[in-house]
Structures are given as C-alpha cells and as structure tokens.
Amino acid sequence: MFSSILMVLLALCMLAAGILTLKRELTADPPVFTSEKEAKEEMLGLFQDRGFFYLTAIALFMQVVCKQANIAPFDFFQAFLASSGVQALFYLMKRKDLGVKTGLVVLVSFIFLFF
C-alpha cells in the first residue's frame, strides 16, 4: 500500500516537471545559432542527463541484487519510476545534489522492494 502511494506521488512529480518544462520551452524564443560549434553545444546540453542514467542503473542494480533470478517487467518499471521520480522531485525543488538523489533512489527502491 505504501509503495503504491509513493508510486503515485513520484508519477505526479514527473507529470508536474514535464508540464513545467513544456511550458518553459513553449514560451522561450527559438534558438538562433551563429556557428556550428554553438549548435553542437546546444545539442550536447539537450542530452545532459544530470545523473539520470546513473540513478536508473542504481535502481536496477538494487532490483537485480534483491530479487536475483525473479526479475519481472514490473521491476524495470519500478526502477525507472524511482529514478525518474526522484529526478523530477529535485527538478521541481531546483536542486542538483547528486549524492542526495542517489540516497533517495536507494531508499525509494528499498521501499518498492520490501513494502
């Protein structure tokens, strides 16, 4: 029950962060690039994950270690939701503490696994 409530809260954080990002992108002026180098830097900025792949890997690692051979597709969903939800939560709070994010992903994954 507790993990279901946590899943809903993390999903709502992801939805709110997505809506804020979409709103910000729609109100911004389209970028104008004067050089190829500038365009390349902008493209690299788009793919900057801010630790998303590391957090997803940590959540998946916890699933694999704790469940060992009993991995189901829902476990991948939980790992993705844990990492994305924590990322969205920190995005909404406008903080970038990767260490705290990592600890929170471990805690959320632990809750998903055992509660």
Side-chain angles (χ1 to χ4, degrees):
M1 177 72 178
F2 182 67
S3 64
S4 299
I5 293 169
L6 186 60
M7 281 185 199
V8 169
L9 290 175
L10 289 174
L12 288 175
C13 285
M14 288 172 51
L15 183 64
I19 289 171
L20 285 176
T21 302
L22 179 64
K23 182 180 174 185
R24 198 172 295 145
E25 289 295 321
L26 290 176
T27 59
D29 293 328
V32 178
F33 304 114
T34 57
S35 69
E36 187 177 321
K37 182 180 178 186
E38 217 176 284
K40 191 180 223 180
E41 288 174 1
E42 179 70 21
M43 184 64 88
L44 289 175
L46 290 174
F47 291 114
Q48 183 184 15
D49 66 346
R50 295 179 187 88
F52 173 73
F53 293 112
Y54 300 118
L55 294 177
T56 305
I58 290 168
L60 282 173
F61 179 74
M62 286 196 61
Q63 294 282 348
V64 169
V65 167
C66 292
K67 292 208 173 179
Q68 295 172 355
N70 301 325
I71 298 292
F74 186 69
D75 298 328
F76 289 100
F77 169 73
Q78 283 182 331
F80 179 74
L81 185 63
S83 62
S84 300
V86 169
Q87 281 286 98
L89 182 65
F90 275 75
Y91 176 77
L92 293 172
M93 293 187 317
K94 296 182 170 119
R95 299 198 52 194
K96 297 181 181 180
D97 304 326
L98 189 59
V100 177
K101 285 181 193 178
T102 304
L104 198 54
V105 165
V106 169
L107 178 68
V108 169
S109 296
F110 181 78
I111 290 170
F112 285 166
L113 285 167
F114 299 109
F115 293 103

